[in-house]
Amino acid sequence: MADTLTITDNRTGKQYDLPIKDGFIKATDLKQIKTETDDAGLATYDPAFMNTASCRSRITFIDGDKGILEYRGYPIEQLAEHSTFLETAYLIIFGELPTQAQLVEWTNQITFHTMLHENIKKLMEGFQYDAHPMGVFLSTVGACSAFYPDAKNIFDEQSRRKQTQRLIAKVPTIAAYAYRHSIGRPYNNPDNDLSFTGNFLNMLFRMTELKYKANPVLERALEVLFILHADHEQNCSTSAMRGIGSSHVDPYSAMAGAAAALYGPLHGGANEAVLRMLTEIGSVDNIPGFIKRVKMGEGRLMGFGHRVYKSYDPRAKIIKQTADAVFEVTGKNPLLDIALELERIALQDEYFVTRKLYPNVDFYSGLIYQAMGFPVAMFPVLFAIPRTAGWIAQWEEMLLDPEQKIARPKQVYIGSARRDYVSRDQRG
Ligand code: ACO
């Protein structure tokens, strides 16, 4: 017998059999449950989408209780150990690991698109020196919509491929220019001889040397961090990408919105918030007092907790190992001791244990980025660069999914009943 859910409506005494597919019922199947033939039918109320799937997806699998994360079926641990960011981006976008020839072609395509139009640079020069790099980043990504009008041909596969290459290739350049602008240094052009992350480090940190060579441990660490951040199914920014994209706007406009969602401290801004929190705590001695304040509801332990993971975030485990490798090169981040002690105390505290609050990917990533020389304000930008791969893959999946339409949630109206306009001189 097919899986069904039988619902009895006590208001009418009628019974309904709703099909269950992949563990879900279709919300629109509830519409048939009515008390009057002309009422709108039953619907669900689900603020913040706590228990509602908005799409069927083949990209990323997460089992939050078991701490599993897979891209296209490949465990994140294996990708972090063996893959590169560009190979993982290819996997996420095209669904399969590339052959050697495909990877060479893909790498060439990305390398070919790393330069920015001179007018984009001029636009970026217009920002104040103290503009937050994430604000500059998301504005510039949005502005690309005006530079590449061909991007609006979203149902043309060739055009989508072109915008995909442009976006993956240009986001590090935009990020690096935003950073150099904020510290008043001249922009560094991309160096096509370098790897994706090696070139990014070159654009950020090259001074007068003719050729920049990143430390291979740091170059690989960044590669691993980029792999870990490349996609994470239907999170806030990805839902924004799909939601905005569902209006059939071009991908640059949609991605500006996704990047804006990522900017928030509850999402991509969390590792920045972690560093500020650790700095504020200042010393291991102040941790018990800080934990007490969090438990009293005066602020959150940033970098802890996740909507999906109710056990250790698998990315946080990998990041901890990466941190060890990085600190061997850079020296230990002085905030590490506070972070380790904070984690130790929180993991045995009843408040955090009962709420299943574990360190998430952002608890340690900020410490690594800071040790590598990135200023705190760059952290959300460092998240947006790899997440571009996920956003594009999810956007394209949404566009090609015949079940999708423009995103338009329902609401439960709880405002005033109909009333007549009162002229200004008669209002109380
Ligand atoms: N510190 C203290 N208490 C917390 C924390 C935290 N970091 N996170 C959740 N809680 C508590 C809540 O107060 C709530 O307690 P209550 O039941 O007594 O009211 C309970 O745990 C459940 O929390 P919710 O806010 O309902 O959980 P939700 O799934 O909505 O939030 C979120 C998830 C936003 C990540 C939250 O855990 C949080 O704010 N964490 C800190 C910010 C952070 O690290 N964000 C990065 C997420 S990872 C990413 O975006 C890449």
Side-chain angles (χ1 to χ4, degrees):
M1 203 175 94
D3 285 348
T4 55
L5 170 74
T6 304
I7 297 178
T8 308
D9 187 346
N10 288 333
R11 299 169 302 175
T12 58
K14 281 192 195 161
Q15 267 200 357
Y16 302 84
D17 287 327
L18 308 189
I20 300 174
K21 192 174 173 196
D22 299 329
F24 288 80
I25 58 160
K26 268 189 146 180
T28 46
D29 283 348
L30 295 170
K31 279 178 105 170
Q32 59 184 303
I33 304 176
K34 301 177 175 204
T35 48
E36 307 286 336
T37 43
D38 59 349
D39 79 27
L42 197 65
T44 54
Y45 172 60
D46 189 8
F49 300 109
M50 295 293 289
N51 196 31
T52 296
S54 62
C55 62
R56 292 162 65 79
S57 181
R58 294 187 158 81
I59 302 171
T60 290
F61 172 77
I62 299 176
D63 184 327
D65 290 327
K66 297 195 183 119
I68 294 174
L69 169 62
E70 294 165 0
Y71 298 153
R72 303 281 188 182
Y74 293 100
I76 192 68
E77 293 80 5
Q78 292 182 23
L79 292 169
E81 192 179 344
H82 303 295
S83 188
T84 61
F85 170 67
L86 277 188
E87 185 184 62
T88 299
Y90 185 102
L91 169 72
I92 288 173
I93 294 168
F94 299 104
E96 295 296 336
L97 284 169
T99 61
Q100 182 59 25
Q102 284 167 330
L103 183 60
V104 168
E105 195 194 345
W106 169 242
T107 306
N108 285 343
Q109 286 163 347
I110 299 301
T111 309
F112 180 72
H113 283 102
T114 48
M115 300 280 280
L116 291 186
H117 193 292
E118 285 301 304
N119 287 344
I120 296 186
K121 288 198 216 166
K122 283 194 196 133
L123 178 112
M124 295 179 81
E125 276 164 18
F127 285 98
Q128 297 282 64
Y129 74 94
D130 58 352
H132 195 292
M134 191 60 174
V136 177
F137 177 85
L138 68 92
S139 318
T140 310
V141 169
C144 285
S145 144
F147 282 87
Y148 303 112
D150 56 319
K152 59 165 137 346
N153 301 324
I154 53 168
F155 289 108
D156 173 15
E157 194 185 349
Q158 288 311 314
S159 171
R160 284 202 306 275
R161 285 291 75 80
K162 177 69 88 51
Q163 315 321 322
T164 299
Q165 291 155 10
R166 281 178 175 150
L167 271 165
I168 304 253
K170 289 186 202 307
V171 284
T173 319
I174 295 173
Y177 283 15
Y179 169 62
R180 298 287 288 198
H181 183 71
S182 72
I183 54 168
R185 288 197 183 140
Y187 305 145
N188 284 331
N189 274 328
D191 180 342
N192 290 353
D193 295 339
L194 302 176
S195 72
F196 189 81
T197 52
N199 173 49
F200 180 48
L201 291 167
N202 154 67
M203 290 190 290
L204 288 162
F205 299 130
R206 186 166 68 79
M207 295 302 286
T208 52
E209 63 271 43
L210 289 178
K211 197 90 184 155
Y212 181 85
K213 184 81 194 79
N215 180 301
V217 174
L218 304 187
E219 190 175 338
R220 178 64 200 165
L222 198 55
E223 198 93 51
V224 171
L225 283 156
F226 279 5
I227 292 169
L228 299 184
H229 285 90
D231 193 51
H232 211 234
E233 52 118 304
Q234 309 312 313
N235 54 81
C236 179
S237 57
T238 302
S239 302
M241 183 82 190
R242 280 179 173 261
I244 300 169
S246 75
S247 74
H248 291 176
V249 73
D250 68 87
Y252 301 98
S253 302
M255 206 178 106
L262 190 68
Y263 195 0
L266 295 188
H267 191 10
N271 53 7
E272 180 173 350
V274 170
L275 263 247
R276 294 195 200 286
M277 174 189 77
L278 295 175
T279 311
E280 235 174 83
I281 294 174
S283 105
V284 169
D285 299 340
N286 297 332
I287 293 177
F290 174 78
I291 296 266
K292 203 170 157 197
R293 287 196 296 282
V294 168
K295 285 160 62 176
M296 280 160 46
E298 296 170 23
R300 292 199 158 191
L301 175 49
M302 299 310 287
F304 260 67
H306 200 278
R307 171 61 58 81
V308 178
Y309 294 118
K310 300 303 170 195
S311 73
Y312 217 96
D313 180 340
R315 300 168 301 172
K317 268 189 204 144
I318 301 167
I319 277 194
K320 249 180 132 174
Q321 293 158 9
T322 308
D324 294 338
V326 168
F327 295 153
E328 260 186 40
V329 175
T330 62
K332 200 173 76 178
N333 188 321
L335 296 174
L336 179 68
D337 288 338
I338 302 177
L340 287 170
E341 182 62 5
L342 205 50
E343 178 181 346
R344 194 188 65 77
I345 295 183
L347 288 182
Q348 49 191 350
D349 189 296
E350 192 254 335
Y351 175 95
F352 296 93
V353 173
T354 51
R355 288 172 179 76
K356 299 189 175 171
L357 300 170
Y358 294 89
N360 59 47
V361 68
D362 286 325
F363 193 65
Y364 287 104
S365 63
L367 289 172
I368 302 179
Y369 286 142
Q370 195 181 46
M372 286 174 76
F374 292 107
V376 172
M378 276 298 283
F379 293 178
V381 181
L382 293 166
F383 194 155
I385 293 171
R387 185 52 60 86
T388 301
W391 286 332
I392 292 170
Q394 300 271 355
W395 165 74
E396 194 164 24
E397 190 178 63
M398 177 276 304
L399 278 183
L400 302 181
D401 180 347
E403 288 190 328
Q404 290 293 337
K405 287 171 177 284
I406 186 165
R408 177 43 170 107
K410 280 178 113 63
Q411 65 165 12
V412 181
Y413 179 70
I414 54 167
S416 300
R418 185 195 179 283
R419 47 187 172 163
D420 290 323
Y421 183 80
V422 181
S423 63
R424 247 164 259 155
D425 56 350
Q426 289 185 3
R427 288 178 211 160

